[in-house]
Amino acid sequence: MQFCLKCLKINQVALYQSDIVKIKKQFDSEIEETRTSGQFDELYLKYFSKTSGIITGLMKEIPTLSEDEKREFGPKINALQNELKDIIEQEKSAYEKKQLADPLIDLSYFLPPKSTGMLHPTTITIREMHDFFRYHGFSVYEGPEIDNEENMFRKLNLPEGHPATDLQDSLFINEPKVLLRTHTSSVEARALTDIEPPMRIVVAGKCYRNETPSPSNASFFHQYQGFVVDKGINIQNLKAIMEDMIKFLFGNDTVVRFRYKYYPEVSPGLGTDIQCKFCKGKGCAFCKFRGWVEMGGSGMIHYNTLKMCGIDPEEYTGFAFGMGLDRLALSKFSIPDIRKLYGGIVYK
Amino acid sequence: MKLPLEWLKEYADTKKSPKEIAESFTLLGLLLDKPIESDVLDLEHRMDRADWLSITGCARDFAAFECIKFVQPTVFDKPAQIPNKEDIVQIKVECPDLVHRFNTRVFKNIKVKESPDWLKQRLQAYGMDPINNIVDITNYVMLEVGQPLHAQDLSKFQKREIIIRRAQLGEAITTLLGETIKLDPDIFVLTQNGKPIVIGGIVGGWETGVDENTTEIVLDAGNYNQTNIRKSSRKLKIQNETVMRCDKFLHPKLTEWAIQRATYLILELAGGECYENVDWYPEDSSAKKMKFRYDRLKLISGMDFDKKQVRDILTRLEYVILEDTEDALLLEVPYFRTDVEVEDDAVSDIIRINGYQNIPSQSLESAPPDDVTPLILKFEDVIRNILVNLGLHEHITDPLVKADSLVPNQVRLQNSLNSEKSALRTTIYETLLPVVELYKKHRIEEAGLFEMGKIYKDSVGRTKPEYGDLEETRVVQVIYHNGKYSPKQISDYVKGLLSGLFTNLGIGNVSIVDNKDTFQILANKTVLGAITYDAFYLATEELIKHASLPKRIIHEFDKTHSEDFSCVIDIGKSFGPTLEKVKEFDKAIMDVEVVDEFQKNTRQKSILIRVTYTGKLDTRRLRELL
């Protein structure tokens, strides 16, 4: 071993090496402080500032070293530089994330998931029916629930004292002039009066009857009604739309029966039944041993009704149909009691 | 209407099984209502055809439908004996508005006894108890031809006279069943020597009833004001086979057939002699004539009928063809068909007897007419969708509530059977709240509910409200409950729902104002509804006026431009109003910001405003404005 400048330089390297250990120690304690203070940029500058950085200072010494020393010392100082830079970066991003997260997300408990609400089964059923009829060119119409005898009875071909008023037990506000509608045909009377033919219209709405509530009868119910007035409308058109509607609602394999059924506001009337799906027409408890389930009434709009609503019955003819919506909704959603449908249903 | 098949077959003989017969009746318009038991059909009667409340009436249609012979029952068609003047039972009608016809006949030397088995069995099959031959015959003929008849023992009369008049207040009658009924002037009665003996068209009295000692009777068939019968029977709560027929449109002529048929049976089964008596019938109603055009049949049915077949069907149903031309018939409507009003009713008869199963189907062919759907219906559906998306469940509740005199403007019902449902709601809150309670009962912590419906108001408050007094308002009601939230949190949530709804409906400029008893929701100074800490309601018809449903789909981002404008304002003044002015200058302006500010002199400063806009902006005018 030569004792000269070289020796001194070897000592210099040794000195540097002990510096690296010291610097590392110092850095470790400083990063600990910075974790809470968040002054990572200041820490970075302290070590890596181009003018006064501790590591930069060491780097500046490298050119003064011999080739051997450079080979020994260079990689070590490089490794230290990379290590410290990495640590600062990691700690800084962890700190920033924590800074962002803390006040906003409380990770201590979970809230129940928030879902959208539900439409009422009757609304869903009405929308489905509307979809079918709008596809067939029908408009949707509506009218008041409180109506007068004119729209409820007279225009529907029910003169005063007609026995068919017995078909409906009306709830009167001022008997016999003002009452709650017992059917949506009152809307038909209004539409026929207000709208110029041709027209294709459906109506869905609440109706009221003076009945004691039971599983199948509430004091109010929803009716679905439709009517068409145009030149050359005949009973075959009515039959076709009833068939299509039933197939839309209950499937293509449904067996349909048409029969004469009296309603005062139509002539001829048309009753539509579907074969009971449970007993296939043999008769069971569901269909009250009839083999068939009634789907509602319809018919060609009465000559007098058209006339009273201001439509020339010699020029225009039309048909009308009506059905209860609630039973449809009940069976669609397997709800056993109509009273549950209105005021009882609980969604989860 | 019950139909014993053995009885039916006397007029329309068929080999068909009960089930097949029931199927034919169902197609004809008399739906089988209950399972067939011991060869009796129970058919649904829909209040139209008075003749379908008789076995012959049902048989006539059935025979026409099945193309078999309809056999009429045998009647006494000889003239009755002329009575001595003093034997005549005088008829006086003091209420001609309620009685259309009162047809009578007197029988002497009859023998009251048990009816023969065939008669008893038929009545029993129908569901009536046999009493004695005279009473049974009146019942039998009523079921057979549809006209109620009544027989009274003349020996129990003080005077040979029946006066028909309105009952007086305080009068009463004891029925055949022994029940005492109080009467009033709305009800009319048959009286004898000043005392009511029969409630006309409703029920007979005990006093002049036929018994085993009776030898002389007066038989009557009356045709009455059916509206009065319906109202009176309801008032008296009497429902029987007589009422069921007398409250329909029976033709006065039917009394003749009924009397003749009953005469035949009385003479056959009780012996004796029959005498003419008064037929009180001041207005003989003439037969209805009607034109029937083949064109109309084609128009309504869409089918081509053979003219011979048309005439055949009409004849089988006992229409009389008065004139027969190339394109039309002149018909005389059978008197018992009081339901036939217009030509289309005869058209329905043809289609019906031809068989509804034979109508073809034909889809609508014409172009669909214009859409007349009111916007409000579409708008309410939009609200439903928004509220559902905000997490609320839709409910529909019964608008009928208990009448309460403390509730102002409540619309009350006159005749509700249920006192809990005797008025209409004035808010949806009152009917939706019980549903919230139901959620709580089922331990569901959170209940966000809404209902779209109507509320009702009687703005005048008369005892008998006129139609114009009553208002219906379309309303959407929201109620929110959360067991884990404080009232303040619930209130914040409800306000969040409200602003969520408004944002989605494109309604801005909303405020909530304390209006003494309610917190009103206003948009552009119009009241839309009201809010409480856990609920709000909005009148949808007001709401729609303020809504501008945002088009949320953009197919392209608009290119933005920026331009700087300078303006001078006094030192110490805020530049806020200037910025507002610029913002409102044009819809194209998206953003306005102050980018620089420097002092111009001791009193004024200059500010540099950067305006960001899309499309075109009249920058010259804006500069002038500043």
Side-chain angles (χ1 to χ4, degrees):
Chain A
M1 194 179 274
Q2 294 164 310
F3 195 70
C4 63
L5 255 176
K6 243 183 183 172
C7 298
L8 192 77
K9 286 211 167 138
I10 287 166
N11 285 340
Q12 196 65 37
V13 171
L15 196 71
Y16 285 154
Q17 278 182 333
S18 76
D19 273 358
I20 288 176
V21 176
K22 264 193 215 156
I23 290 168
K24 182 74 174 60
K25 248 187 195 161
Q26 186 192 342
F27 179 81
D28 283 347
S29 76
E30 283 178 356
I31 193 85
E32 201 60 47
E33 284 168 26
T34 321
R35 249 181 223 144
T36 49
S37 72
Q39 293 176 320
F40 291 98
D41 292 341
E42 285 77 3
L43 188 67
Y44 184 89
L45 289 178
K46 186 172 179 183
Y47 286 87
F48 301 109
S49 160
K50 277 185 183 157
T51 50
S52 58
I54 296 170
I55 303 287
T56 322
L58 274 181
M59 296 288 269
K60 277 181 183 162
E61 297 293 332
I62 292 173
T64 64
L65 299 179
S66 70
E67 285 304 308
D68 286 348
E69 284 168 339
K70 279 183 187 167
R71 218 169 286 128
E72 196 192 339
F73 180 63
K76 285 187 178 158
I77 190 86
N78 250 334
L80 177 69
Q81 173 173 294
N82 289 340
E83 188 191 345
L84 297 194
K85 279 187 177 173
D86 279 355
I87 290 173
I88 291 176
E89 194 154 315
Q90 279 171 17
E91 290 291 337
K92 188 184 172 184
S93 79
Y95 176 81
E96 280 173 354
K97 263 189 198 161
K98 213 178 147 200
Q99 281 295 311
L100 269 179
D102 257 352
L104 293 179
I105 300 178
D106 182 352
L107 299 174
S108 60
Y109 71 90
F110 288 95
L111 284 167
K114 195 81 191 155
S115 77
T116 61
M118 309 266 275
L119 286 171
H120 192 272
T122 304
T123 305
I124 295 171
T125 312
I126 291 173
R127 283 193 178 182
E128 212 166 275
M129 297 288 288
H130 283 350
D131 282 349
F132 172 81
F133 283 103
R134 291 195 73 91
Y135 175 81
H136 284 84
F138 283 70
S139 297
V140 182
Y141 208 65
E142 57 114 41
E145 289 167 22
I146 300 172
D147 217 327
N148 55 24
E149 56 178 344
E150 181 73 12
N151 290 310
M152 277 300 305
F153 300 128
R154 301 300 160 257
K155 282 185 173 172
L156 298 170
N157 195 38
L158 275 167
E160 212 178 327
H162 193 284
T165 42
D166 273 7
L167 291 173
Q168 306 129 11
D169 283 309
S170 312
L171 279 166
F172 285 99
I173 294 163
N174 179 5
E175 192 172 4
K177 289 194 287 186
V178 189
L179 65 158
L180 291 178
R181 68 178 179 205
T182 51
H183 47 63
T184 41
S185 298
S186 58
V187 186
E188 180 187 324
R190 286 170 175 272
L192 292 179
T193 313
D194 297 343
I195 300 171
E196 286 284 315
M199 66 182 98
R200 291 185 198 175
I201 285 170
V202 283
V203 178
K206 286 194 185 87
C207 302
Y208 302 82
R209 282 189 194 169
N210 203 0
E211 284 173 355
T212 319
S214 73
S216 55
N217 280 317
S219 50
F220 84 106
F221 57 98
H222 285 79
Q223 211 175 34
Y224 200 84
Q225 176 123 6
F227 43 95
V228 171
V229 179
D230 204 343
K231 286 175 183 164
I233 298 291
N234 63 41
I235 198 168
Q236 301 186 15
N237 303 138
L238 168 60
K239 203 170 169 178
I241 200 113
M242 295 309 283
E243 266 169 5
D244 287 351
M245 180 192 81
I246 282 165
K247 285 180 179 163
F248 168 80
L249 288 173
F250 303 102
N252 280 328
D253 57 341
T254 313
V255 184
V256 189
R257 175 177 78 181
F258 293 99
R259 60 189 165 88
Y260 176 82
K261 189 177 187 186
Y262 166 77
Y263 288 94
E265 67 265 42
V266 292
S267 181
L270 179 90
T272 309
D273 305 328
I274 59 170
Q275 195 178 66
C276 178
K277 292 230 166 182
F278 296 98
C279 62
K280 302 260 178 267
K282 287 190 194 94
C284 65
F286 181 81
C287 58
K288 297 182 196 155
F289 298 94
R290 288 173 178 173
W292 298 86
V293 179
E294 289 189 79
M295 275 309 300
S298 61
M300 298 299 292
I301 301 174
H302 202 281
Y303 194 89
N304 292 346
T305 295
L306 288 176
K307 215 159 86 180
M308 278 185 280
C309 295
I311 295 174
D312 181 1
E314 292 292 334
E315 190 182 357
Y316 289 101
T317 49
F319 64 73
F321 56 87
M323 56 192 281
L325 264 179
D326 310 288
R327 253 183 280 176
L328 261 182
L330 291 178
S331 69
K332 202 175 155 69
F333 293 91
S334 306
I335 300 163
D337 187 330
I338 195 165
R339 288 168 295 190
K340 283 196 179 140
L341 191 59
Y342 301 115
I345 286 195
V346 172
Y347 306 90
K348 268 193 178 172
Chain B
M1 171 71 192
K2 280 190 190 150
L3 201 57
L5 293 178
E6 179 271 328
W7 198 349
L8 172 83
K9 285 177 187 176
E10 183 180 325
Y11 321 115
D13 197 14
T14 176
K15 299 258 171 332
K16 286 199 162 184
S17 71
K19 201 172 170 228
E20 288 167 325
I21 297 171
E23 273 164 22
S24 294
F25 273 113
T26 294
L27 287 173
L28 277 169
L30 284 158
L31 174 75
L32 181 69
D33 207 18
K34 291 189 183 114
I36 305 168
E37 269 173 35
S38 48
D39 286 357
V40 178
L41 306 184
D42 197 336
L43 305 173
E44 181 200 46
H45 184 261
R46 290 189 61 80
M47 317 290 173
D48 53 334
R49 297 266 310 255
D51 66 321
W52 275 349
L53 286 171
S54 72
I55 307 213
T56 50
C58 295
R60 187 185 296 110
D61 275 47
F62 178 73
F65 186 69
E66 299 287 344
C67 291
I68 54 177
K69 197 171 168 7
F70 171 59
V71 183
Q72 301 258 11
T74 317
V75 295
F76 177 81
D77 51 4
K78 286 168 273 189
Q81 297 185 43
I82 308 295
N84 294 329
K85 212 176 172 187
E86 63 274 19
D87 282 347
I88 294 175
V89 179
Q90 296 297 337
I91 307 296
K92 276 189 196 159
V93 177
E94 293 176 355
C95 50
D97 54 327
L98 302 180
V99 183
H100 305 135
R101 187 172 189 175
F102 198 73
N103 198 350
T104 58
R105 193 164 273 186
V106 170
F107 293 83
K108 282 185 177 176
N109 303 321
I110 54 160
K111 200 166 164 53
V112 177
K113 55 186 177 189
E114 209 176 311
S115 297
D117 286 348
W118 64 266
L119 203 161
K120 283 198 285 187
Q121 279 158 11
R122 282 187 175 180
L123 288 179
Q124 278 162 337
Y126 186 88
M128 288 183 103
D129 289 331
I131 293 163
N132 57 46
N133 54 358
I134 297 299
V135 175
D136 291 352
I137 286 167
T138 58
N139 285 333
Y140 182 86
V141 174
M142 171 174 72
L143 302 181
E144 192 179 39
V145 309
Q147 167 68 50
L149 293 162
H150 195 239
Q152 294 180 85
D153 188 340
L154 269 176
S155 69
K156 295 173 181 169
F157 275 44
Q158 310 290 324
K159 272 193 210 164
R160 287 178 90 85
E161 179 186 62
I162 296 173
I163 296 174
I164 307 178
R165 60 162 168 84
R166 286 179 184 270
Q168 289 154 6
L169 208 61
E171 276 186 319
I173 187 171
T174 305
T175 67
L176 286 166
L177 300 167
E179 200 185 343
T180 303
I181 295 169
K182 284 184 183 159
L183 305 166
D184 67 57
D186 290 338
I187 300 160
F188 71 92
V189 284
L190 279 57
T191 61
Q192 159 58 52
N193 199 25
K195 278 176 79 181
I197 46 170
V198 172
I199 304 176
I202 297 180
V203 73
W206 167 83
E207 205 162 311
T208 55
V210 175
D211 57 41
E212 59 272 30
N213 302 320
T214 304
T215 57
E216 191 184 9
I217 58 167
V218 57
L219 178 74
D220 72 67
N223 186 287
Y224 309 111
N225 179 318
Q226 37 120 3
T227 312
N228 177 279
I229 301 283
R230 180 164 332 110
K231 283 186 181 159
S232 302
S233 63
R234 285 203 176 173
K235 194 185 215 174
L236 300 172
K237 295 195 174 104
I238 297 176
Q239 189 59 41
N240 57 31
E241 296 289 334
T242 302
V243 169
M244 197 173 112
R245 289 169 178 80
C246 282
D247 72 359
K248 306 293 181 302
F249 283 125
L250 293 175
H251 197 281
K253 204 171 158 61
L254 189 61
T255 58
E256 296 167 24
W257 190 27
I259 292 262
Q260 281 177 314
R261 174 64 176 156
T263 304
Y264 172 81
L265 290 173
I266 291 171
L267 297 179
E268 282 283 304
L269 304 178
E273 313 94 43
C274 74
Y275 292 88
E276 288 287 344
N277 201 56
V278 180
D279 178 9
W280 190 87
Y281 190 24
E283 277 176 77
D284 194 346
S285 46
S286 56
K288 193 189 280 174
K289 284 176 191 164
M290 178 187 282
K291 200 172 179 187
F292 177 91
R293 295 164 295 171
Y294 293 109
D295 276 359
R296 187 77 192 169
L297 175 61
K298 164 84 183 166
L299 177 64
I300 298 293
S301 69
M303 293 153 80
D304 289 304
F305 281 93
D306 178 40
K307 287 181 186 170
K308 189 180 164 297
Q309 190 199 354
V310 171
R311 288 191 300 260
D312 183 51
I313 291 174
L314 290 171
T315 313
R316 281 174 169 276
L317 294 177
E318 296 184 30
Y319 285 88
V320 180
I321 298 171
L322 300 169
E323 283 170 32
D324 185 353
T325 62
E326 185 56 32
D327 20 86
L329 300 170
L330 183 65
L331 302 175
E332 185 187 301
V333 180
Y335 72 87
F336 48 81
R337 287 294 303 276
T338 47
D339 60 298
V340 177
E341 277 181 285
V342 291
E343 188 183 16
D344 288 354
D345 294 330
V347 166
S348 354
D349 272 343
I350 307 283
I351 303 174
R352 191 169 58 88
I353 300 297
N354 185 59
Y356 264 46
Q357 71 279 22
N358 299 322
I359 304 172
S361 294
Q362 175 68 56
S363 297
L364 289 168
E365 280 165 330
S366 53
D370 293 341
D371 187 0
V372 292
T373 309
L375 270 179
I376 188 76
L377 296 180
K378 295 177 183 173
F379 180 68
E380 288 186 338
D381 255 350
V382 170
I383 296 177
R384 280 193 183 93
N385 288 350
I386 294 170
L387 293 178
V388 160
N389 284 326
L390 289 173
L392 303 179
H393 295 309
E394 187 189 14
H395 275 266
I396 298 175
T397 57
D398 190 346
L400 296 178
V401 295
K402 195 173 181 166
D404 185 346
S405 54
L406 295 176
V407 178
N409 301 326
Q410 201 181 38
V411 178
R412 293 178 195 113
L413 304 172
Q414 273 183 336
N415 63 332
S416 175
L417 291 173
N418 186 344
S419 65
E420 291 298 311
K421 298 189 181 299
S422 51
L424 286 161
R425 65 184 173 198
T426 49
T427 64
I428 296 185
Y429 188 83
E430 60 187 300
T431 59
L432 190 56
L433 194 64
V435 182
V436 177
E437 297 302 325
L438 197 69
Y439 275 76
K440 288 186 197 166
K441 207 174 109 187
H442 284 78
R443 294 176 194 283
I444 298 171
E445 286 284 358
E446 190 187 18
L449 314 180
F450 77 96
E451 179 170 353
M452 186 81 71
K454 285 179 174 172
I455 55 173
Y456 313 82
K457 201 173 134 186
D458 178 354
S459 48
V460 182
R462 297 181 234 227
T463 17
K464 289 195 166 182
E466 294 295 322
Y467 177 65
D469 298 351
L470 309 171
E471 283 170 42
E472 291 178 25
T473 312
R474 313 179 74 97
V475 158
V476 57
Q477 173 80 53
V478 170
I479 304 184
Y480 183 77
H481 159 77
N482 193 324
K484 286 203 175 114
Y485 280 10
S486 68
K488 164 83 170 67
Q489 281 171 309
I490 289 177
S491 167
D492 286 348
Y493 197 92
V494 169
K495 280 196 287 182
L497 292 171
L498 182 68
S499 67
L501 176 62
F502 280 160
T503 307
N504 281 288
L505 292 175
I507 299 176
N509 215 350
V510 179
S511 52
I512 297 174
V513 176
D514 186 352
N515 184 37
K516 287 175 196 158
D517 32 338
T518 51
F519 296 109
Q520 290 177 331
I521 303 166
L522 278 81
N524 298 323
K525 292 172 188 161
T526 319
V527 181
L528 300 182
I531 188 165
T532 58
Y533 91 99
D534 66 344
F536 65 82
Y537 78 86
L538 296 160
T540 56
E541 264 166 319
E542 279 305 319
L543 210 54
I544 194 172
K545 292 179 196 159
H546 298 269
S548 57
L549 298 182
K551 292 193 186 84
R552 308 277 287 277
I553 297 167
I554 49 171
H555 51 84
E556 184 175 26
F557 287 104
D558 293 320
K559 209 169 174 182
T560 60
H561 312 275
S562 293
E563 200 161 325
D564 293 349
F565 299 86
S566 68
C567 73
V568 178
I569 57 168
D570 292 343
I571 287 175
K573 262 197 179 170
S574 153
F575 46 69
T578 315
L579 290 192
E580 284 300 317
K581 209 161 74 181
V582 176
K583 264 184 201 164
E584 284 166 13
F585 175 70
D586 197 311
K587 274 188 184 157
I589 295 172
M590 296 168 72
D591 194 24
V592 182
E593 58 177 336
V594 176
V595 284
D596 211 346
E597 181 180 357
F598 52 89
Q599 197 165 343
K600 209 174 172 195
N601 51 42
T602 49
R603 287 189 297 110
Q604 289 177 311
K605 61 181 175 181
S606 177
I607 55 169
L608 192 64
I609 299 168
R610 181 163 295 161
V611 176
T612 309
Y613 62 96
T614 59
K616 276 188 180 167
L617 183 68
D618 190 344
T619 51
R620 208 167 57 88
R621 265 192 57 224
L622 182 59
R623 230 174 273 284
E624 279 167 15
L625 179 83
L626 294 168

